[in-house]
Amino acid sequence: MTGRDGGAELNAIEPSPVVILVRPQLAENIGAVARAMGNGGLFHLRLVAPRDGWPAERAFRMASGADRILDSLTVHENVADATADLHRVFATCPRPRHIIKPVLTARGASAEIHAIGARALKCGILFGPERAGLDNDDIAQADSLIRYDLNPDFMSLNLAQAVMIMAYEWYIARDPDAPVKTLQTNETDIATKFEINNFMDHLIRECDASGFLKNPQKRPGMVRNLRHFFQRGEATKQELNTLHGIIGELAAGRNACEAGS
Amino acid sequence: MTGRDGGAELNAIEPSPVVILVRPQLAENIGAVARAMGNGGLFHLRLVAPRDGWPAERAFRMASGADRILDSLTVHENVADATADLHRVFATCPRPRHIIKPVLTARGASAEIHAIGARALKCGILFGPERAGLDNDDIAQADSLIRYDLNPDFMSLNLAQAVMIMAYEWYIARDPDAPVKTLQTNETDIATKFEINNFMDHLIRECDASGFLKNPQKRPGMVRNLRHFFQRGEATKQELNTLHGIIGELAAGRNACEAGS
C-alpha cells in the first residue's frame, strides 16, 4: 500500500497518454481527475499553473485512493514546458471555433493514441480550466482536437467527467475486439442441446402422464411451443437441474398416488 | 426557458431508456445524475425510495440546469413498481457474483437498448445506491447485467459517473457510423491537389530564383521532400494563401533588388 491514506496499488499501464490539466482552479477537481484516471487505467498527470498551487491536501481527499497518481504528478509553468517531451498533443475542446485542425471523437482519439503509443511515441491530452476551457494559444500547441459526441443542447461536463470519458475510451480501446456480451455462469456451464432435450423429454413425459397434453390435435404444437421457450435463453446445467427437480416434485403426488392405488 | 433557475431546454430523445436510481442516498447525487443524463441526451429518471425524500432543493443545485429532468422524474416504492411498464431491464453491477445472467459492456448494452427501442419496447437501467450498489433482489428483477470495462485494480465510479458513461455510450450508439475523425475548416475548405501543386510551383520557382535549389544533383530529392511535407497534412485553401503570401513577401526584397539593378 502506498499513498497518504492507504491509496490503491495503482500502476501505469504503458504506453499511456499524459493527462495535462491547464490552469486548473480547484484542488478538489485535481483529486477527482486522479480518481477518474485510475478507473480508466491512466497514470501520468501534469499540472500547468494550478491556481491553488501544489501540493494541495484537498485534492487527496477527493482522489478516493488514487494517491499514487497525485504523488507522481509534475507541475509546469506553461503548456510548452508541460508538452516538451511529447510527440503528439491532443486538446479537448467542446466548441472549437475558427481553428483549422483535425477534430476527433474521444473514441477516434483513443484509437490514434494507442496507434501512436505502439510506435513508441508519447502522447498528451490537454484539458482546460473549469468553465473557461483552453484558450486559443493553448490549442495552437496541439496537433488535433478532441470533441466529445454529446448532446449539443446540454453540454455540461465537469473536469473530472471530461477526463473520465477519455480514460474510459482509452481503456476500452486497448482491446477493440473484446466481447461486448457474455453469459456469466459462475460455477455452472451453459447446457448442451443434449441436456436441453433430456430435460424436454422429462417435462413432456410428465405432462403426458398428468394429462396436460391429452388433446392429440393440440399436442404437437404445444410441445413445439414449450421447446421454443426452453431453447430461447441459454439455460445452464444448474438451471436445468433445478427445473428437473421441480417437475419431479410436482409429479410426485400423482406418482405416489398411482403407485399406491 | 423552464426549470426553477432557468434550466436548459432539455427534451427527451425518443425512444430513450429510463434511468432508475435505486435507494439513492444523497440528493446532490440525484442532481449530478440529471446533469450527466442531459449530456448524453437521456431524459427519463425514476427514483426508488430515495433516502432523503423528494423533491430536494440540493439536487437542483447540482443539476447545472438539467432541471426539466428533475421536474419530470417519478418516485416509486420498489424496483417492481419502478419497472412495471418496462419490457427490458438492465442492472449495472460492477462485481456480479453467483448470478447467472447475460453480462454486457456499456457499449454492448447501448447497442441492445437501441435495438430494443426500435421494436417500440421500453428499457430501463438500474443503478444502485452509493457504495453498497444493487442488492441481489434488485438484480433478480433485471434481464441482463451491465459491467463497465474499466481498470479492475481501481474501480471507483461515483453514481453520476456511472450514469455518465452509460448516457455517453447510449448517445454515441444512436449513430454507430458517425465519423470519428474530421478536419474542421470553418470558412475555408481542404485544398485540392491542383491548389497544392500550384503552391508547390510557386515555392519551387522562388527557391530556384533565390539559389536555394542551386545544387543540380540534390535538387530533385529536395523538391520531392518539400512536396512530401506539404502533401502530408490536408492543407486548406486559406493556409495555402497564407503560405503563398509568405513566399511572395520573403522573395520581394530580392525581386525588388533585381528589378532595380
Side-chain angles (χ1 to χ4, degrees):
Chain A
M1 300 293 269
T2 63
R4 305 184 181 205
D5 49 350
E9 274 288 2
L10 274 170
N11 290 299
I13 299 171
E14 299 300 0
S16 62
V18 179
V19 170
I20 302 164
L21 303 184
V22 180
R23 299 183 300 280
Q25 302 189 335
L26 297 172
E28 285 84 348
N29 287 338
I30 298 170
V33 162
R35 176 182 181 179
M37 289 172 65
N39 276 286
L42 298 182
F43 190 84
H44 306 293
L45 180 58
R46 296 178 185 177
L47 307 180
V48 173
R51 191 193 63 183
D52 293 348
W54 189 260
E57 203 54 47
R58 281 172 296 136
F60 285 84
R61 285 203 291 274
M62 288 295 286
S64 289
D67 296 19
R68 285 194 66 194
I69 292 172
L70 296 178
D71 287 331
S72 311
L73 70 74
T74 53
V75 181
H76 304 263
E77 274 186 35
N78 51 51
V79 172
D81 182 37
T83 59
D85 62 324
L86 305 179
H87 302 94
R88 282 286 292 280
V89 175
F90 296 80
T92 55
C93 189
R95 296 176 197 81
R97 290 194 185 94
H98 310 302
I99 294 165
I100 296 172
K101 269 198 210 300
V103 181
L104 294 97
T105 62
R107 191 160 299 172
S110 296
E112 273 208 18
I113 288 168
H114 282 285
I116 294 164
R119 294 162 59 206
L121 299 175
K122 290 176 74 175
C123 284
I125 310 168
L126 304 177
F127 292 87
E130 298 91 334
R131 301 191 183 277
L134 295 168
D135 68 26
N136 287 340
D137 286 332
D138 302 326
I139 294 173
Q141 305 213 41
D143 301 77
S144 308
L145 304 180
I146 300 173
R147 180 167 45 191
Y148 297 165
D149 182 15
L150 286 168
N151 186 3
D153 294 337
F154 187 82
M155 185 79 99
S156 168
L157 289 179
N158 66 32
L159 187 53
Q161 283 174 327
V163 171
M164 180 76 247
I165 287 178
M166 199 59 226
Y168 166 76
E169 283 284 6
W170 179 81
Y171 192 79
I172 287 187
R174 290 169 311 130
D175 184 7
D177 299 324
V180 298
K181 183 171 186 176
T182 53
L183 183 69
Q184 166 164 309
T185 55
N186 291 303
E187 275 115 58
T188 181
D189 290 308
I190 306 289
T192 62
K193 291 302 176 192
F194 174 82
E195 289 162 332
I196 298 262
N197 282 326
N198 185 40
F199 166 73
M200 290 303 301
D201 290 346
H202 183 189
L203 175 65
I204 291 161
R205 193 166 61 240
E206 292 295 350
C207 285
D208 276 327
S210 73
F212 183 77
L213 294 170
K214 66 183 172 214
N215 183 326
Q217 269 80 48
K218 290 191 175 168
R219 189 181 181 283
M222 290 173 77
V223 167
R224 210 160 35 237
N225 286 345
L226 281 169
R227 212 177 276 284
H228 282 312
F229 178 80
F230 284 102
Q231 294 284 4
R232 202 183 294 148
E234 283 200 340
T236 65
K237 294 178 197 301
Q238 193 181 71
E239 287 165 341
L240 289 186
N241 284 342
T242 304
L243 293 171
H244 275 293
I246 289 174
I247 292 165
E249 205 66 49
L250 292 176
R254 193 197 59 255
N255 290 343
C257 180
E258 286 172 3
S261 68
Chain B
M1 301 289 270
T2 63
R4 308 186 179 202
D5 49 350
E9 273 289 2
L10 274 170
N11 290 299
I13 299 171
E14 297 301 359
S16 62
V18 179
V19 170
I20 303 164
L21 303 185
V22 181
R23 299 183 300 281
Q25 303 189 333
L26 297 171
E28 286 86 347
N29 287 338
I30 298 170
V33 162
R35 177 182 181 178
M37 288 172 64
N39 276 285
L42 297 182
F43 189 83
H44 306 293
L45 180 58
R46 296 177 185 177
L47 308 180
V48 173
R51 192 193 63 183
D52 293 349
W54 189 260
E57 204 53 48
R58 282 172 296 136
F60 285 84
R61 285 204 292 275
M62 287 296 284
S64 289
D67 296 18
R68 285 194 64 194
I69 292 173
L70 296 177
D71 286 331
S72 310
L73 70 73
T74 54
V75 181
H76 305 263
E77 272 186 38
N78 52 50
V79 172
D81 182 39
T83 60
D85 62 325
L86 305 179
H87 302 94
R88 283 286 294 279
V89 175
F90 296 80
T92 55
C93 189
R95 295 174 199 82
R97 291 194 185 93
H98 310 300
I99 293 164
I100 296 171
K101 269 197 209 300
V103 181
L104 295 96
T105 62
R107 191 160 300 172
S110 296
E112 275 208 17
I113 288 168
H114 281 286
I116 294 163
R119 294 163 58 207
L121 300 176
K122 289 177 74 174
C123 284
I125 310 167
L126 304 177
F127 293 86
E130 298 92 335
R131 301 191 184 276
L134 295 167
D135 68 26
N136 287 339
D137 287 332
D138 302 326
I139 293 173
Q141 306 213 40
D143 302 76
S144 309
L145 304 180
I146 300 173
R147 180 168 46 193
Y148 297 165
D149 182 16
L150 285 168
N151 186 4
D153 294 336
F154 187 82
M155 185 79 100
S156 168
L157 289 179
N158 65 34
L159 187 54
Q161 282 174 329
V163 172
M164 180 75 247
I165 286 177
M166 200 58 227
Y168 165 77
E169 283 284 6
W170 179 81
Y171 192 79
I172 287 187
R174 291 168 309 132
D175 183 7
D177 300 324
V180 298
K181 183 172 185 175
T182 53
L183 184 69
Q184 165 164 310
T185 55
N186 291 302
E187 275 116 58
T188 181
D189 290 309
I190 307 287
T192 62
K193 291 303 177 192
F194 174 83
E195 289 163 330
I196 298 263
N197 282 325
N198 184 39
F199 166 74
M200 290 305 299
D201 290 346
H202 183 189
L203 175 65
I204 291 161
R205 192 165 63 241
E206 292 295 351
C207 285
D208 276 328
S210 72
F212 184 76
L213 294 170
K214 67 183 171 211
N215 183 325
Q217 267 80 48
K218 290 190 175 168
R219 188 181 180 284
M222 290 172 78
V223 167
R224 210 161 35 238
N225 286 344
L226 281 169
R227 210 176 276 284
H228 282 311
F229 178 80
F230 284 102
Q231 294 283 3
R232 201 183 295 148
E234 285 201 339
T236 65
K237 294 177 198 300
Q238 194 181 70
E239 288 165 341
L240 289 186
N241 283 343
T242 304
L243 293 171
H244 274 294
I246 289 174
I247 292 166
E249 205 65 49
L250 291 176
R254 193 196 61 255
N255 290 344
C257 179
E258 285 172 0
S261 69

